[in-house]
Amino acid sequence: MRRTVKRWAVYALLGYGLFALAIYYYLYGLASGGLPEIYKGTSADPSVFLSGAEQALAQKYSTIKNFLFFISVPFEWLVYLFILVFGLSRKFEEWSKGTVRFSFGQTAIYLFYLSFLTFLLAFPLQYISYHYSRVYKISAQTFPQWMKNELIDFWVSYVIMTVLVFVLYALMKRFKKKWWLAAWTLFVPFTIFMMYVQPVVIDPLYNDFYPLKDKKLEAKILTLADQANIPADHVYEVNKSQETNSLNAYVTGIGENARIVLWDTTLNKLDDDEVLFVMAHEMAHYVKKHIYIGIGSYLVLAFFGFWLAAKWMEKLVRKHGEELQIQELSQLRSLPLLLLVLSMMMFASSPFSNAISRFEEKQADAYAIEMTQNKEAAISAFQKLAREGLSEVKPPWLVKIFRYSHPAMAERIYTIETYPLPDKQGKKMEENRGVSAQKSRN
């Protein structure tokens, strides 16, 4: 058995190294193509709104972040595999059972060992990502501020995971074959509950949320909300400038806890018309029921995910249980295997979920253009978002399908510029595009 385990470890390390080299070659070699001709000379052309130095910085920063993403995901799989094959998971389970007798306490202790070890092993890559965010002036956090958020992440995840894992393994013991169905049945109300409490319980752990200070701007936003038949009394502002220089706004929560949130960096760097377009975009997610569609899609995928994970794990334990030191699935020591399987399935399904999200974002952009009738503000807002966040205007194909839940900036800006509006502004945009193209040719 030990020989098999050593062979697995060698193959896993070799495969990870080859994958890292392949991704490096793809990002730094093959994926360095130019801007498609269709965007050149338009508002989507980065040379129109970014200097040469800014374009170079955006390219370097994006490539680094993309590389870190692609090597971090399989690194997580490698960690779970090594914890299994070298017996660490079995040891954690034995230590937890030797410490307390009641099962919830055993789950909490086991999960602390596992969470702390994975946190330590993932920390170098997390720190490298933070370091480059500081170097390229995206992050405004000091190391203590960043570390504070990392520790909050650890403890929030630990508390939630302890409850989930305890319930899950209780179901595994109670329902030997159909545990996955029972788990999914409880997962549905849990997901809805978390969506409901996140804006008012979890998010405030990281930042301060308060009603928008600029009451004139808030009145304009609430007028838009009224036009869209959205029952809103406040727009929320969050103090993200102490963490980042990038811009963002989003919709979170459901029911009476649903919130439209603006980062203060967005308010500081966009003018009122640009902010109104951003807000109209976020309102579109409410009007188009994207939050509920997202929850529904997530739960459907989770159903098949639980089923597939159960079948996959049963097969692995039946065939390799001795090497993995797992006799049955209901043992706590099988958790790294479950996390490994779920992580791999989530990564494999991300192109599908990202494609749905990009489609919804296109719908929200179109809704916002029609509501505000201000294409110039929309274009300038996205140009500023790209500049401040050092966004990759036209990402490589693999990066787009695995990382981008929003359309790429070049695509979004060009779509807005060419979006038909039956008014004077549509003609004005066409004239401006012609001027830009002429400048580009000259």
Side-chain angles (χ1 to χ4, degrees):
M1 183 185 76
R2 301 312 302 169
R3 187 179 302 171
T4 301
V5 167
K6 289 180 180 178
R7 186 169 67 248
W8 283 6
V10 170
Y11 287 163
L13 281 173
L14 182 61
Y16 180 73
L18 291 174
F19 174 79
L21 287 173
I23 285 296
Y24 183 89
Y25 177 67
Y26 174 76
L27 293 175
Y28 285 91
L30 295 178
S32 57
L35 188 74
E37 285 294 326
I38 192 173
Y39 299 132
K40 291 182 179 179
T42 70
S43 301
D45 189 338
S47 64
V48 172
F49 59 93
L50 295 176
S51 67
E54 287 172 331
Q55 292 181 63
L57 280 175
Q59 181 63 44
K60 289 178 182 177
Y61 177 69
S62 297
T63 305
I64 290 170
K65 296 291 283 188
N66 292 335
F67 180 69
L68 287 173
F69 166 80
F70 279 110
I71 65 170
S72 294
V73 174
F75 180 79
E76 178 186 6
W77 305 342
L78 200 66
V79 167
Y80 290 141
L81 178 63
F82 277 36
I83 288 174
L84 281 170
V85 300
F86 288 114
L88 289 173
S89 187
R90 176 178 58 81
K91 284 291 185 184
F92 293 161
E93 185 184 49
E94 290 173 354
W95 293 343
S96 66
K97 288 183 176 180
T99 304
V100 294
R101 291 187 177 182
F102 57 99
S103 57
F104 184 81
Q106 291 172 359
T107 302
I109 292 172
Y110 170 88
L111 199 61
F112 178 79
Y113 289 138
L114 180 65
S115 299
F116 187 66
L117 178 60
T118 54
F119 176 83
L120 288 180
L121 293 174
F123 185 81
L125 285 175
Q126 293 287 92
Y127 177 76
I128 290 171
S129 180
Y130 160 73
H131 168 74
Y132 279 108
S133 294
R134 287 281 292 176
V135 168
Y136 286 88
K137 302 186 186 306
I138 298 299
S139 174
Q141 286 181 306
T142 63
F143 178 77
Q145 290 173 329
W146 175 76
M147 197 67 218
K148 176 186 174 183
N149 279 354
E150 290 294 301
L151 292 175
I152 292 174
D153 278 343
F154 174 85
W155 287 111
V156 169
S157 298
Y158 170 73
V159 170
I160 294 173
M161 281 292 291
T162 299
V163 175
L164 290 179
V165 171
F166 173 72
V167 173
L168 177 63
Y169 277 79
L171 294 174
M172 284 183 176
K173 292 173 183 176
R174 177 69 177 82
F175 307 99
K176 297 291 185 181
K177 293 295 184 182
K178 296 293 185 180
W179 63 267
W180 63 270
L181 183 58
W184 180 82
T185 302
L186 292 179
F187 183 72
V188 172
F190 174 79
T191 300
I192 295 172
F193 172 75
M194 289 302 297
M195 287 289 292
Y196 187 80
V197 303
Q198 181 175 335
V200 293
V201 176
I202 296 177
D203 289 348
L205 294 174
Y206 298 88
N207 296 103
D208 295 325
F209 291 80
Y210 38 83
L212 188 61
K213 295 175 183 177
D214 187 338
K215 295 305 175 184
K216 290 184 178 180
L217 178 58
E218 184 180 48
K220 294 177 182 178
I221 295 172
L222 292 177
T223 299
L224 280 182
D226 184 61
Q227 292 173 8
N229 295 317
I230 297 175
D233 296 322
H234 295 291
V235 177
Y236 287 88
E237 181 179 344
V238 58
N239 59 330
K240 295 294 286 189
S241 56
Q242 62 183 354
E243 295 181 14
T244 182
N245 293 315
S246 59
L247 316 180
N248 196 19
Y250 59 90
V251 177
T252 185
I254 58 174
E256 63 183 26
N257 281 359
R259 287 182 173 182
I260 299 176
V261 180
L262 271 166
W263 287 7
D264 60 346
T265 52
T266 304
L267 293 166
N268 295 337
K269 296 176 181 179
L270 298 187
D271 63 34
D272 282 7
D273 285 342
E274 292 163 347
V275 170
L276 289 174
F277 170 79
V278 172
M279 285 292 90
H281 172 98
E282 298 305 329
M283 290 173 191
H285 290 305
Y286 180 94
V287 173
K288 301 287 186 180
K289 310 296 184 186
H290 289 163
I291 295 174
Y292 299 100
I293 292 171
I295 293 173
S297 301
Y298 180 62
L299 293 176
V300 170
L301 285 175
F303 177 86
F304 291 103
F306 275 116
W307 172 78
L308 184 58
K311 298 301 180 184
W312 196 356
M313 288 182 67
E314 287 171 4
K315 183 177 181 180
L316 288 171
V317 171
R318 186 169 57 249
K319 189 174 182 180
H320 301 292
E322 184 179 358
E323 292 92 339
L324 297 173
Q325 303 181 48
I326 301 172
Q327 286 74 50
E328 50 186 64
L329 286 181
S330 59
Q331 291 177 294
L332 265 177
R333 66 183 67 179
S334 71
L335 181 59
L337 178 62
L338 176 61
L339 296 175
L340 170 62
V341 168
L342 290 176
S343 178
M344 293 178 75
M345 291 195 306
M346 288 177 66
F347 181 74
S349 65
S350 59
F352 174 71
S353 57
N354 284 341
I356 293 176
S357 178
R358 288 195 299 270
F359 174 76
E360 291 178 342
E361 293 298 329
K362 289 178 182 178
Q363 283 189 322
D365 284 347
Y367 180 92
I369 296 167
E370 292 178 0
M371 172 175 269
T372 62
Q373 294 285 301
N374 195 339
K375 291 165 65 172
E376 287 187 328
I379 289 172
S380 60
F382 280 133
Q383 289 175 340
K384 289 179 181 179
L385 283 166
R387 182 185 304 111
E388 298 298 332
L390 293 182
S391 300
E392 199 165 16
V393 176
K394 187 68 174 68
W397 181 74
L398 281 180
V399 173
K400 177 182 177 180
I401 65 170
F402 280 104
R403 293 205 67 193
Y404 275 55
S405 59
H406 291 60
M409 279 300 181
E411 182 182 348
R412 295 184 88 171
I413 295 173
Y414 182 78
T415 299
I416 292 171
E417 182 177 289
T418 56
Y419 193 89
L421 278 182
D423 63 357
K424 294 180 180 179
Q425 204 212 356
K427 295 180 181 178
K428 184 177 180 182
M429 289 298 301
E430 290 295 326
E431 292 172 1
N432 289 344
R433 185 168 57 153
V435 171
S436 297
Q438 184 64 38
K439 288 181 178 178
S440 177
R441 285 192 294 270
N442 293 340

mmCIF file of all heavy atoms in Angstrom, residues 50-63 136 390:
data_model
loop_
_atom_site.group_PDB
_atom_site.id
_atom_site.type_symbol
_atom_site.label_atom_id
_atom_site.label_comp_id
_atom_site.label_asym_id
_atom_site.label_seq_id
_atom_site.Cartn_x
_atom_site.Cartn_y
_atom_site.Cartn_z
ATOM 1 N N LEU A 50 -6.562 54.427 -22.432
ATOM 2 C CA LEU A 50 -5.432 54.059 -21.582
ATOM 3 C C LEU A 50 -4.132 54.479 -22.251
ATOM 4 O O LEU A 50 -3.977 54.339 -23.472
ATOM 5 C CB LEU A 50 -5.399 52.547 -21.334
ATOM 6 C CG LEU A 50 -6.548 51.909 -20.549
ATOM 7 C CD1 LEU A 50 -6.368 50.391 -20.511
ATOM 8 C CD2 LEU A 50 -6.624 52.467 -19.138
ATOM 9 N N SER A 51 -3.197 54.971 -21.453
ATOM 10 C CA SER A 51 -1.866 55.287 -21.992
ATOM 11 C C SER A 51 -1.117 53.976 -22.241
ATOM 12 O O SER A 51 -1.537 52.903 -21.782
ATOM 13 C CB SER A 51 -1.089 56.146 -21.001
ATOM 14 O OG SER A 51 -0.787 55.403 -19.827
ATOM 15 N N GLY A 52 -0.004 54.070 -22.948
ATOM 16 C CA GLY A 52 0.809 52.883 -23.203
ATOM 17 C C GLY A 52 1.272 52.229 -21.910
ATOM 18 O O GLY A 52 1.273 50.997 -21.782
ATOM 19 N N ALA A 53 1.667 53.063 -20.938
ATOM 20 C CA ALA A 53 2.127 52.535 -19.649
ATOM 21 C C ALA A 53 0.989 51.831 -18.908
ATOM 22 O O ALA A 53 1.194 50.772 -18.299
ATOM 23 C CB ALA A 53 2.688 53.665 -18.783
ATOM 24 N N GLU A 54 -0.217 52.400 -18.972
ATOM 25 C CA GLU A 54 -1.362 51.789 -18.294
ATOM 26 C C GLU A 54 -1.730 50.461 -18.943
ATOM 27 O O GLU A 54 -2.082 49.495 -18.245
ATOM 28 C CB GLU A 54 -2.558 52.744 -18.333
ATOM 29 C CG GLU A 54 -2.409 53.945 -17.399
ATOM 30 C CD GLU A 54 -3.507 54.968 -17.599
ATOM 31 O OE1 GLU A 54 -4.039 55.080 -18.726
ATOM 32 O OE2 GLU A 54 -3.834 55.666 -16.624
ATOM 33 N N GLN A 55 -1.638 50.399 -20.270
ATOM 34 C CA GLN A 55 -1.926 49.143 -20.953
ATOM 35 C C GLN A 55 -0.930 48.060 -20.564
ATOM 36 O O GLN A 55 -1.306 46.903 -20.329
ATOM 37 C CB GLN A 55 -1.895 49.348 -22.469
ATOM 38 C CG GLN A 55 -3.023 50.201 -23.007
ATOM 39 C CD GLN A 55 -2.943 50.356 -24.511
ATOM 40 O OE1 GLN A 55 -3.051 49.388 -25.263
ATOM 41 N NE2 GLN A 55 -2.750 51.576 -24.978
ATOM 42 N N ALA A 56 0.347 48.441 -20.468
ATOM 43 C CA ALA A 56 1.383 47.483 -20.087
ATOM 44 C C ALA A 56 1.171 46.985 -18.658
ATOM 45 O O ALA A 56 1.305 45.788 -18.376
ATOM 46 C CB ALA A 56 2.761 48.119 -20.227
ATOM 47 N N LEU A 57 0.826 47.909 -17.754
ATOM 48 C CA LEU A 57 0.579 47.530 -16.360
ATOM 49 C C LEU A 57 -0.609 46.577 -16.263
ATOM 50 O O LEU A 57 -0.559 45.579 -15.538
ATOM 51 C CB LEU A 57 0.312 48.773 -15.510
ATOM 52 C CG LEU A 57 1.524 49.587 -15.045
ATOM 53 C CD1 LEU A 57 1.060 50.835 -14.318
ATOM 54 C CD2 LEU A 57 2.410 48.742 -14.130
ATOM 55 N N ALA A 58 -1.690 46.907 -16.987
ATOM 56 C CA ALA A 58 -2.883 46.064 -16.957
ATOM 57 C C ALA A 58 -2.572 44.663 -17.467
ATOM 58 O O ALA A 58 -3.029 43.661 -16.899
ATOM 59 C CB ALA A 58 -3.997 46.698 -17.782
ATOM 60 N N GLN A 59 -1.774 44.589 -18.536
ATOM 61 C CA GLN A 59 -1.417 43.293 -19.109
ATOM 62 C C GLN A 59 -0.587 42.473 -18.133
ATOM 63 O O GLN A 59 -0.842 41.276 -17.905
ATOM 64 C CB GLN A 59 -0.657 43.486 -20.420
ATOM 65 C CG GLN A 59 -0.268 42.191 -21.118
ATOM 66 C CD GLN A 59 -1.475 41.386 -21.548
ATOM 67 O OE1 GLN A 59 -2.427 41.947 -22.082
ATOM 68 N NE2 GLN A 59 -1.451 40.090 -21.319
ATOM 69 N N LYS A 60 0.405 43.112 -17.515
ATOM 70 C CA LYS A 60 1.278 42.394 -16.572
ATOM 71 C C LYS A 60 0.498 41.923 -15.351
ATOM 72 O O LYS A 60 0.622 40.769 -14.918
ATOM 73 C CB LYS A 60 2.441 43.298 -16.150
ATOM 74 C CG LYS A 60 3.470 43.556 -17.234
ATOM 75 C CD LYS A 60 4.561 44.496 -16.735
ATOM 76 C CE LYS A 60 5.570 44.805 -17.828
ATOM 77 N NZ LYS A 60 6.599 45.786 -17.361
ATOM 78 N N TYR A 61 -0.286 42.830 -14.781
ATOM 79 C CA TYR A 61 -1.025 42.496 -13.571
ATOM 80 C C TYR A 61 -2.047 41.385 -13.840
ATOM 81 O O TYR A 61 -2.161 40.429 -13.060
ATOM 82 C CB TYR A 61 -1.732 43.737 -13.033
ATOM 83 C CG TYR A 61 -2.591 43.476 -11.816
ATOM 84 C CD1 TYR A 61 -2.014 43.154 -10.592
ATOM 85 C CD2 TYR A 61 -3.976 43.535 -11.905
ATOM 86 C CE1 TYR A 61 -2.805 42.902 -9.477
ATOM 87 C CE2 TYR A 61 -4.772 43.292 -10.793
ATOM 88 C CZ TYR A 61 -4.184 42.975 -9.588
ATOM 89 O OH TYR A 61 -4.962 42.715 -8.484
ATOM 90 N N SER A 62 -2.779 41.497 -14.942
ATOM 91 C CA SER A 62 -3.795 40.498 -15.267
ATOM 92 C C SER A 62 -3.178 39.130 -15.495
ATOM 93 O O SER A 62 -3.720 38.110 -15.048
ATOM 94 C CB SER A 62 -4.581 40.928 -16.511
ATOM 95 O OG SER A 62 -5.279 42.131 -16.276
ATOM 96 N N THR A 63 -2.037 39.095 -16.165
ATOM 97 C CA THR A 63 -1.384 37.812 -16.430
ATOM 98 C C THR A 63 -0.918 37.159 -15.134
ATOM 99 O O THR A 63 -1.059 35.944 -14.957
ATOM 100 C CB THR A 63 -0.193 38.012 -17.389
ATOM 101 O OG1 THR A 63 -0.632 38.660 -18.580
ATOM 102 C CG2 THR A 63 0.428 36.680 -17.764
ATOM 103 N N TYR A 136 0.903 46.723 -7.689
ATOM 104 C CA TYR A 136 0.230 47.381 -8.814
ATOM 105 C C TYR A 136 -0.852 48.365 -8.358
ATOM 106 O O TYR A 136 -1.659 48.820 -9.160
ATOM 107 C CB TYR A 136 -0.364 46.326 -9.758
ATOM 108 C CG TYR A 136 0.689 45.628 -10.584
ATOM 109 C CD1 TYR A 136 1.335 44.499 -10.105
ATOM 110 C CD2 TYR A 136 1.067 46.126 -11.820
ATOM 111 C CE1 TYR A 136 2.313 43.854 -10.856
ATOM 112 C CE2 TYR A 136 2.039 45.497 -12.581
ATOM 113 C CZ TYR A 136 2.667 44.362 -12.090
ATOM 114 O OH TYR A 136 3.645 43.739 -12.828
ATOM 115 N N LEU A 390 -7.114 47.976 -13.450
ATOM 116 C CA LEU A 390 -6.134 47.348 -14.349
ATOM 117 C C LEU A 390 -6.736 46.101 -14.996
ATOM 118 O O LEU A 390 -6.136 45.027 -15.013
ATOM 119 C CB LEU A 390 -4.847 46.996 -13.592
ATOM 120 C CG LEU A 390 -3.999 48.170 -13.085
ATOM 121 C CD1 LEU A 390 -2.740 47.664 -12.404
ATOM 122 C CD2 LEU A 390 -3.627 49.111 -14.239
#
